[in-house]
Amino acid sequence: DLPFSIICGPCQLESLDHARMLAERIAEACAATGTGFIFKGSYDKANRSSLQGKRGLGADKGLEILSKIKDEFGVPVITDVHEPSHCAMAAEFVDILQIPAFLCRQTDLLLAAGETGLAINVKKGQFLAPWDMQNVAAKVASTGNERIMLCERGTSFGYNTLVSDFRGLPTMAETGYPVVFDATHSVQQPGGNGTSTGGDRRMVPPLARAAVAVGVAALFIETHEDPDNAPSDGPNMVRIEDLQPLLAKLRAIDTIQKG
Amino acid sequence: DLPFSIICGPCQLESLDHARMLAERIAEACAATGTGFIFKGSYDKANRSSLQGKRGLGADKGLEILSKIKDEFGVPVITDVHEPSHCAMAAEFVDILQIPAFLCRQTDLLLAAGETGLAINVKKGQFLAPWDMQNVAAKVASTGNERIMLCERGTSFGYNTLVSDFRGLPTMAETGYPVVFDATHSVQQPGGNGTSTGGDRRMVPPLARAAVAVGVAALFIETHEDPDNAPSDGPNMVRIEDLQPLLAKLRAIDTIQKG
Amino acid sequence: DLPFSIICGPCQLESLDHARMLAERIAEACAATGTGFIFKGSYDKANRSSLQGKRGLGADKGLEILSKIKDEFGVPVITDVHEPSHCAMAAEFVDILQIPAFLCRQTDLLLAAGETGLAINVKKGQFLAPWDMQNVAAKVASTGNERIMLCERGTSFGYNTLVSDFRGLPTMAETGYPVVFDATHSVQQPGGNGTSTGGDRRMVPPLARAAVAVGVAALFIETHEDPDNAPSDGPNMVRIEDLQPLLAKLRAIDTIQKG
Amino acid sequence: DLPFSIICGPCQLESLDHARMLAERIAEACAATGTGFIFKGSYDKANRSSLQGKRGLGADKGLEILSKIKDEFGVPVITDVHEPSHCAMAAEFVDILQIPAFLCRQTDLLLAAGETGLAINVKKGQFLAPWDMQNVAAKVASTGNERIMLCERGTSFGYNTLVSDFRGLPTMAETGYPVVFDATHSVQQPGGNGTSTGGDRRMVPPLARAAVAVGVAALFIETHEDPDNAPSDGPNMVRIEDLQPLLAKLRAIDTIQKG
């Protein structure tokens, strides 16, 4: 088993300075706790609840920022892609491509991502069972690229609510691919705020501890210095100052779980 | 209130002759029951459960078939689009564009569809509440195109199962846009057959009757002369010979409901 | 097929005069629309959301009222029972015993009810699948009493919400027992008001029409002259003056469905 | 915080010798891992899926066994009660009364249990939200008895499936009452085997680890020396030889979580 890692960063990339500031503080928290660090940032939020939601910096600026963070901090970087034609472009700048949950059945996107040869983190659709991800992974693997990660991010449970079914983690692990738990989007309340998505960041630490106790390769957590004023997913992001103590506990649980 | 209509055809377009044969039989059933007829066919199944599922004829052949059906039968035709760049192309051949449920939050697709000026039938994501469709419709309407239809096609209910919440029909109707009930995909059991989607076509007639009794502008029903050997959605499609008696009952219920 | 019937009355019995007033108005609406009428009233609400909820008149007063309504109006009467020891007592006054949804798996209650020889209306638990009701019915039938009705009243769907899965009606009908749809409790929002159950009475007519279009033996509807001030289930009860036009539509749909 | 404890025993009491054998082996596992031990056994399974399911030894024999285990092993014992009239009787033999999930809204049962003055473990109904348990606890507390435990045992999720929503543990803990996680019944597949309840015992250890990492006062686990031949809940019970290694991990996670 590899050392415990987090995929961490803001929801949206806001500026190079902002990304640098967060990357520095995340790197400190990871170093202090022996946690691996993969920097995450989105350059385009292509499926906001409403048109009023901010879309992001766009591919040019966003990918440049990710590339600089990668060089300056010496960490792998990940971003999400929404159309087949974006995969090759993004692949020139990042180490891992992420397939959004809503798009996890779009064959062309999975194939285009797989063909880049990068590692691919596929989020499980809110509408899919854990065992259905085998077919999703097979689409990527058909390109000859087996560097696949499967990511749980909550399942539809009534309206405007997701539930994290932790049985899904060992079930997805039966594919042989590493499993990631997204502790940020799992606490979303989709559409819960009328024209935006709500959530409850207080639930991130307990669900993160649960996931690590069940057993995961990595944890996906979004963080921000001022989540309540972040351009997206504010209700779900962890305050940057809360990250290190959370990681310390997660690391200790991970050691027991894998021990 | 407009006369009761159906959006009807095979799941996948198979050939011009096949489309013609079905269109002819559907047109007969509609004429005999005073039902409006919009012909539906897909040229690309972009999100099959697994790679083994057949994709379809492709845009060139598929759109040509739709265009011929439109001319020969004098009926409006509808097809689904999966990427923003396809909207303008498809719009040259069809009367209505359909947004697939998984893609109903993809802003660029909704905008590109809206900008064609065609009527747009947006399927409600299995992961969305009925009231969340207002934000979805607003994305299309932001293009100045208010020719929007909202379509219920089942909501995630546990794993590998959908449920039709008929409260969603009047809730979506509060937007002022016409509401369609998709009686075919609502009875899907997504992923229920391992590498393909299951379903139970025996439930199509009762759910179709329920929807019409609640009140809808149109019903979406896929049909086939041999559903068990159809390339997709076979378990859910109605046999073509069962269509006319079903329509007769639906038409009678519609008259009472709207009377 | 029998003539279409309703099981109708207030949620809680309030007084003899109140029961009489409602019974008279329901009887008029039924007579005007050719609908069969079974009077329903509860004498004890044994599972209110909170202690503050009113329990009811108690068995002595309640059963006496039911008995008088039965005699004065010449209609069958139904009430719900909560403990095995109450069945025989209640059976002296009423024609049909009802098993509450939460208690539909309690073997002793089902057996005691069955042993009275009365018709038994078993509500499907919010936590059960339609096909699970076969085992429930078999418990009653083991007493030699096959006068069983199975009643859909909503299924858990996330938190504080129920959904009506209309596929459940034909599925339960496969048992051979008549199926009832409870249009009142199906629109409950359990616990939705903090210390009481919420609901949305505007959804009663569309769901009632849906159920009749699917096909049911009877419909269960609670009614009140002033639902907003009723001691229980106010948010879900239909205003008594709205009953007759609703029944007229339902009757017409029933005729088509069974025709 | 108290030392970590388990509520553990067979689903059904089978005989005094059997209970003794299990109690001895559980006590050993608890002693070896510093885990508190409360012995659990049911004398009556009052809500089996079907009539064919075994009911149990009955109150006389069952309570006598519990009483002997209590004396011989010096551990508290717990059993479940199903009717108000059983509470006082059972209270003479056991230390904790348990309210079954289906019955957690039955006011008379909650009051009769509370009035015994014993500690009461109330299982959350599969149909209730975590925050709804406040009203349930208030019913017990109205008797002056505040010795209340709230127990998560899975929530309805589609048909024949439960999901464990671990956000429910901190939510229920906001009441101030200790929270228990039932790792056995949470993995049930109610009605999943046609006339009996299925389940997946492989999911017990991951869900138990998750619950302890989230934070609980105690864990409820059923165990058996030969689960596949146990009279009830066989698919979900942990093999007795697997208990000690599981407890060792849970204890270590508990120390980190509470540390």
Side-chain angles (χ1 to χ4, degrees):
Chain A
D1 284 324
L2 293 169
F4 173 66
S5 297
I6 58 171
I7 297 172
C8 190
C11 182
Q12 279 191 26
L13 292 167
E14 299 177 26
S15 71
L16 176 57
D17 282 349
H18 184 255
R20 244 181 214 142
M21 180 273 292
L22 279 179
E24 193 171 328
R25 297 188 65 178
I26 300 166
E28 283 168 14
C30 286
T33 56
T35 306
F37 173 26
I38 297 160
F39 183 81
K40 180 265 163 185
S42 294
Y43 61 80
D44 183 20
K45 308 307 292 179
N47 55 33
R48 300 300 304 263
S49 294
S50 78
L51 258 189
Q52 281 64 51
K54 286 189 190 155
R55 284 287 298 253
L57 293 179
D60 289 350
K61 281 197 195 164
L63 291 170
E64 194 191 337
I65 292 173
L66 288 167
S67 174
K68 289 199 171 150
I69 296 293
K70 174 182 161 76
D71 290 345
E72 293 180 19
F73 291 85
V75 295
V77 297
I78 178 173
T79 199
D80 42 339
V81 284
H82 304 86
E83 297 200 21
S85 60
H86 298 185
C87 294
M89 172 187 65
E92 292 180 33
F93 298 87
V94 302
D95 303 279
I96 310 176
L97 292 178
Q98 181 168 288
I99 306 294
F102 290 158
L103 303 181
C104 75
R105 285 264 299 261
Q106 302 304 314
T107 306
D108 291 339
L109 182 61
L110 292 163
L111 296 180
E115 280 158 9
T116 65
L118 294 194
I120 311 295
N121 183 32
V122 193
K123 296 210 171 178
K124 183 175 82 60
Q126 298 88 337
F127 44 84
L128 277 192
W131 43 86
D132 294 333
M133 287 300 281
Q134 187 154 23
N135 291 323
V136 168
K139 290 184 183 179
V140 179
S142 77
T143 65
N145 181 351
E146 294 268 3
R147 301 176 61 207
I148 298 168
M149 298 183 282
L150 302 178
C151 180
E152 168 66 38
R153 51 89 75 234
T155 301
S156 289
F157 179 65
Y159 292 134
N160 301 316
T161 312
L162 300 172
V163 70
S164 298
D165 180 359
F166 285 102
R167 294 171 302 186
L169 304 180
T171 301
M172 291 200 293
E174 286 172 16
T175 58
Y177 299 116
V179 170
V180 179
F181 179 73
D182 175 345
T184 295
H185 296 92
S186 293
V187 305
Q188 278 184 336
Q189 291 155 353
N193 290 346
T195 57
S196 69
T197 287
D200 185 353
R201 95 169 49 93
R202 293 172 309 157
M203 291 301 171
V204 172
L207 293 191
R209 293 196 304 267
V212 173
V214 169
V216 287
L219 208 71
F220 180 109
I221 308 183
E222 290 179 352
T223 186
H224 202 271
E225 80 287 0
D226 182 14
D228 292 332
N229 293 303
S232 51
D233 262 325
N236 316 313
M237 285 196 282
V238 168
R239 286 192 184 79
I240 182 69
E241 66 263 30
D242 296 334
L243 187 63
Q244 185 171 326
L246 174 59
L247 291 182
K249 254 190 187 184
L250 295 178
R251 185 74 160 91
I253 294 173
D254 186 65
T255 303
I256 291 168
Q257 198 282 321
K258 292 181 178 153
Chain B
D1 282 322
L2 293 168
F4 172 66
S5 295
I6 59 170
I7 298 173
C8 190
C11 182
Q12 281 191 26
L13 292 167
E14 300 178 26
S15 71
L16 176 56
D17 282 348
H18 184 254
R20 244 182 215 142
M21 178 273 292
L22 280 178
E24 191 171 328
R25 297 188 64 178
I26 300 166
E28 283 167 12
C30 287
T33 56
T35 305
F37 172 26
I38 298 161
F39 183 81
K40 180 264 164 188
S42 294
Y43 60 81
D44 182 19
K45 308 307 293 179
N47 54 34
R48 301 300 305 262
S49 294
S50 79
L51 258 189
Q52 280 65 52
K54 286 190 190 152
R55 285 286 297 255
L57 292 180
D60 289 350
K61 279 198 197 164
L63 291 170
E64 195 191 335
I65 292 173
L66 288 167
S67 174
K68 287 198 172 151
I69 296 293
K70 175 182 162 76
D71 290 345
E72 295 180 18
F73 291 85
V75 294
V77 297
I78 178 172
T79 199
D80 42 338
V81 285
H82 304 86
E83 298 200 22
S85 59
H86 297 184
C87 294
M89 172 187 66
E92 293 180 34
F93 299 87
V94 303
D95 302 279
I96 310 178
L97 292 178
Q98 181 167 289
I99 307 294
F102 290 158
L103 303 181
C104 76
R105 284 266 298 262
Q106 304 302 316
T107 306
D108 291 340
L109 182 61
L110 293 163
L111 297 180
E115 280 158 9
T116 64
L118 293 194
I120 311 297
N121 182 31
V122 193
K123 294 210 171 178
K124 184 175 82 60
Q126 299 86 338
F127 44 83
L128 278 192
W131 43 87
D132 294 333
M133 287 300 281
Q134 186 155 25
N135 291 321
V136 168
K139 290 184 182 179
V140 179
S142 76
T143 65
N145 181 350
E146 294 268 4
R147 301 176 61 206
I148 299 168
M149 298 182 281
L150 302 178
C151 180
E152 168 66 37
R153 51 88 76 236
T155 301
S156 289
F157 178 66
Y159 292 135
N160 301 318
T161 314
L162 300 173
V163 70
S164 298
D165 180 0
F166 285 102
R167 294 171 302 185
L169 303 181
T171 301
M172 291 200 293
E174 287 172 16
T175 58
Y177 299 116
V179 170
V180 178
F181 180 72
D182 176 345
T184 294
H185 296 93
S186 294
V187 305
Q188 277 185 334
Q189 291 155 354
N193 289 348
T195 57
S196 69
T197 288
D200 185 352
R201 96 169 50 94
R202 294 173 309 157
M203 291 300 172
V204 172
L207 293 191
R209 292 196 303 267
V212 172
V214 169
V216 288
L219 208 71
F220 180 109
I221 307 182
E222 290 178 353
T223 186
H224 201 271
E225 80 288 0
D226 181 13
D228 293 332
N229 293 303
S232 51
D233 262 324
N236 315 313
M237 285 196 283
V238 168
R239 285 191 186 80
I240 183 68
E241 67 262 31
D242 296 333
L243 188 63
Q244 184 171 327
L246 174 58
L247 291 182
K249 253 190 189 185
L250 296 178
R251 185 74 161 92
I253 295 173
D254 187 66
T255 302
I256 291 168
Q257 197 282 321
K258 292 179 179 154
Chain C
D1 283 323
L2 292 168
F4 174 65
S5 296
I6 59 171
I7 299 173
C8 190
C11 182
Q12 280 191 26
L13 292 167
E14 300 178 25
S15 72
L16 176 55
D17 281 349
H18 184 256
R20 243 182 216 142
M21 179 274 291
L22 280 178
E24 193 171 327
R25 297 189 64 179
I26 301 166
E28 282 167 14
C30 287
T33 56
T35 306
F37 173 25
I38 298 160
F39 183 81
K40 180 265 165 186
S42 294
Y43 60 81
D44 183 20
K45 307 308 292 180
N47 55 34
R48 300 301 304 262
S49 293
S50 80
L51 258 189
Q52 281 64 51
K54 286 189 190 153
R55 285 288 295 256
L57 292 179
D60 289 352
K61 279 199 197 163
L63 291 170
E64 196 191 335
I65 292 173
L66 288 167
S67 173
K68 288 198 171 150
I69 296 294
K70 175 183 163 76
D71 290 345
E72 294 180 17
F73 291 84
V75 295
V77 297
I78 178 172
T79 199
D80 42 338
V81 285
H82 305 85
E83 298 200 21
S85 60
H86 297 184
C87 294
M89 173 187 66
E92 293 179 33
F93 298 88
V94 302
D95 303 279
I96 311 177
L97 292 178
Q98 181 167 288
I99 307 294
F102 290 158
L103 303 181
C104 75
R105 285 265 299 260
Q106 303 302 315
T107 306
D108 291 341
L109 182 62
L110 293 163
L111 297 181
E115 280 157 10
T116 64
L118 293 194
I120 311 296
N121 182 32
V122 193
K123 295 210 172 177
K124 183 175 82 61
Q126 298 87 336
F127 44 84
L128 278 192
W131 43 86
D132 294 334
M133 288 300 283
Q134 186 155 25
N135 290 322
V136 167
K139 290 184 183 181
V140 178
S142 76
T143 65
N145 181 350
E146 295 268 4
R147 300 177 61 207
I148 298 169
M149 298 182 282
L150 302 177
C151 180
E152 168 65 38
R153 51 88 74 233
T155 301
S156 289
F157 178 67
Y159 292 135
N160 301 317
T161 313
L162 299 173
V163 71
S164 297
D165 180 0
F166 285 103
R167 295 172 301 186
L169 304 180
T171 301
M172 292 200 293
E174 286 172 16
T175 59
Y177 299 117
V179 170
V180 178
F181 180 72
D182 176 345
T184 295
H185 295 92
S186 293
V187 304
Q188 277 186 335
Q189 292 156 352
N193 291 346
T195 57
S196 69
T197 286
D200 184 353
R201 96 168 51 93
R202 293 172 310 158
M203 291 299 171
V204 172
L207 293 191
R209 292 196 304 267
V212 172
V214 170
V216 288
L219 208 71
F220 181 109
I221 307 183
E222 290 178 354
T223 187
H224 201 271
E225 80 287 1
D226 181 14
D228 293 332
N229 293 302
S232 51
D233 262 323
N236 316 315
M237 285 195 283
V238 168
R239 286 192 186 80
I240 183 68
E241 67 263 30
D242 296 333
L243 188 62
Q244 184 172 326
L246 174 58
L247 291 183
K249 255 191 187 184
L250 297 178
R251 186 74 159 91
I253 295 173
D254 187 66
T255 302
I256 291 169
Q257 197 282 321
K258 292 178 179 156
Chain D
D1 283 323
L2 293 168
F4 173 67
S5 296
I6 57 171
I7 299 173
C8 190
C11 182
Q12 280 192 27
L13 293 167
E14 299 177 25
S15 71
L16 176 56
D17 283 348
H18 184 255
R20 243 181 215 142
M21 179 274 291
L22 280 178
E24 193 171 326
R25 297 189 64 179
I26 301 166
E28 283 168 13
C30 287
T33 56
T35 305
F37 173 25
I38 298 159
F39 183 82
K40 180 266 166 184
S42 294
Y43 60 80
D44 182 19
K45 308 307 291 179
N47 53 34
R48 299 301 304 262
S49 294
S50 80
L51 258 189
Q52 281 64 51
K54 286 187 191 157
R55 284 288 297 255
L57 292 178
D60 288 351
K61 280 198 196 164
L63 291 170
E64 195 191 336
I65 292 174
L66 288 167
S67 173
K68 287 199 171 149
I69 296 293
K70 174 183 163 77
D71 289 345
E72 293 180 19
F73 290 85
V75 296
V77 297
I78 179 172
T79 199
D80 43 337
V81 285
H82 304 86
E83 297 200 20
S85 61
H86 297 185
C87 293
M89 172 187 66
E92 292 179 34
F93 297 89
V94 302
D95 302 280
I96 311 178
L97 292 179
Q98 180 167 289
I99 307 294
F102 290 158
L103 303 181
C104 76
R105 285 265 300 260
Q106 303 303 315
T107 305
D108 291 341
L109 182 61
L110 292 163
L111 296 180
E115 279 158 9
T116 64
L118 293 193
I120 311 297
N121 182 33
V122 193
K123 296 211 170 175
K124 183 174 83 59
Q126 297 87 336
F127 44 83
L128 277 192
W131 43 86
D132 293 334
M133 287 300 282
Q134 187 155 24
N135 291 322
V136 168
K139 290 184 183 180
V140 179
S142 76
T143 65
N145 182 350
E146 293 268 3
R147 301 177 61 207
I148 298 168
M149 297 183 283
L150 302 178
C151 181
E152 168 66 37
R153 52 87 76 233
T155 301
S156 290
F157 178 67
Y159 292 134
N160 301 315
T161 313
L162 300 173
V163 70
S164 298
D165 180 0
F166 284 103
R167 295 170 302 185
L169 304 180
T171 301
M172 291 200 292
E174 286 172 16
T175 59
Y177 298 116
V179 170
V180 178
F181 179 73
D182 176 345
T184 295
H185 296 91
S186 294
V187 305
Q188 278 184 335
Q189 291 155 352
N193 290 347
T195 58
S196 68
T197 287
D200 184 353
R201 96 169 50 94
R202 294 172 310 157
M203 291 299 172
V204 172
L207 293 191
R209 293 196 303 268
V212 172
V214 170
V216 287
L219 208 71
F220 180 109
I221 308 183
E222 289 178 351
T223 187
H224 201 271
E225 80 287 0
D226 182 13
D228 292 332
N229 294 302
S232 51
D233 261 324
N236 316 313
M237 285 196 282
V238 167
R239 286 193 185 79
I240 182 68
E241 66 263 30
D242 296 333
L243 188 63
Q244 185 171 325
L246 174 58
L247 291 182
K249 255 191 186 181
L250 296 179
R251 185 76 159 89
I253 294 173
D254 187 65
T255 302
I256 291 168
Q257 197 281 321
K258 291 179 179 154

